[in-house]
Amino acid sequence: MGVIGVLALQGGYQAHERALAEVGHRTVRVRYASEFPTLDGLVLPGGESTTMFKLLALEGLEQSLDAYVRSGRPVLATCAGLILAARTAVGPAQRSFGWLDVDVRRNAWGRQLDSFQATADDTDLPLMFIRAPRIERVGPGVETVLRYHGEPILVRCGPIFGATFHPELTDDRRVHRQVFGPAS
């Protein structure tokens, strides 16, 4: 894989850059529409989803981002990124792009003070939840990759992955490797 872009308008993009570098990928901070064609993969990081939408509109990135994600290249959408990618986002209701046929409830794992670490069901993969969304419905074309207490927390539809947790905030790089493959 060549260059992985990390949407860098707001939120936790630096931790994804470190995680990707640790598995050998080159990264670029994506802030302009002209950068999308140069990417081989993209991360939509955590942060504040309503602010991200405002900044995407302000910077004129919505159309280019939508075209990129629909192009079939790998995408990892974590936390607020998953809210952007979902078919429907509620709690409160918010616009989303609909790339993943899932419904999410914003901040459903609790407030910032309720952040916690855990381990995924049936594996030793460490999880970090920070004001994370919960996936309330998974559409028929979406695969549940990981669960926590039986709930879907990592889903996939083709090359698009959505995580309710923050894999970039642990020392485990399995999720980044799964989405983007080995560095070339």
Side-chain angles (χ1 to χ4, degrees):
M1 177 114 355
V3 176
I4 309 299
V6 182
L7 188 65
L9 300 177
Q10 184 269 339
Y13 55 89
Q14 298 98 338
H16 279 290
E17 290 173 323
R18 283 190 298 275
L20 289 162
E22 287 175 16
V23 296
H25 290 291
R26 292 183 304 129
T27 64
V28 63
R29 291 180 180 180
V30 176
R31 293 186 172 120
Y32 304 102
S34 61
E35 294 166 317
F36 288 109
T38 68
L39 305 177
D40 298 299
L42 180 66
V43 174
L44 302 174
E48 210 296 308
S49 57
T50 54
T51 301
M52 285 184 178
F53 259 115
K54 288 176 184 175
L55 292 171
L56 285 167
L58 183 66
E59 298 298 328
L61 293 174
E62 290 183 40
Q63 185 176 6
S64 296
L65 174 61
D66 186 55
Y68 179 87
V69 174
R70 294 180 190 281
S71 74
R73 289 172 277 183
V75 174
L76 173 59
T78 61
C79 201
L82 173 60
I83 294 167
L84 296 177
R87 169 91 51 225
T88 305
V90 297
Q94 177 182 316
R95 185 176 149 241
S96 55
F97 283 101
W99 302 312
L100 285 170
D101 186 14
V102 296
D103 297 340
V104 298
R105 179 164 300 278
R106 299 172 59 207
N107 302 326
W109 288 101
R111 301 171 50 115
Q112 189 83 17
L113 293 173
D114 300 316
S115 300
F116 66 96
Q117 295 180 9
T119 305
D121 293 354
D122 303 320
T123 180
D124 62 349
L125 184 78
L127 307 171
M128 174 68 73
F129 291 89
I130 302 173
R131 291 183 54 216
R134 272 187 144 128
I135 298 172
E136 295 187 328
R137 181 193 65 83
V138 176
V142 178
E143 170 192 3
T144 297
V145 178
L146 286 174
R147 295 179 182 274
Y148 173 69
H149 288 206
E151 292 187 39
I153 58 167
L154 178 64
V155 295
R156 174 187 187 177
C157 183
I160 305 170
F161 288 76
T164 63
F165 61 100
H166 290 273
E168 75 281 9
L169 296 179
T170 72
D171 292 331
D172 193 299
R173 301 297 172 232
R174 283 180 276 181
V175 171
H176 289 86
R177 281 188 190 99
Q178 182 176 9
V179 175
F180 300 109
S184 51

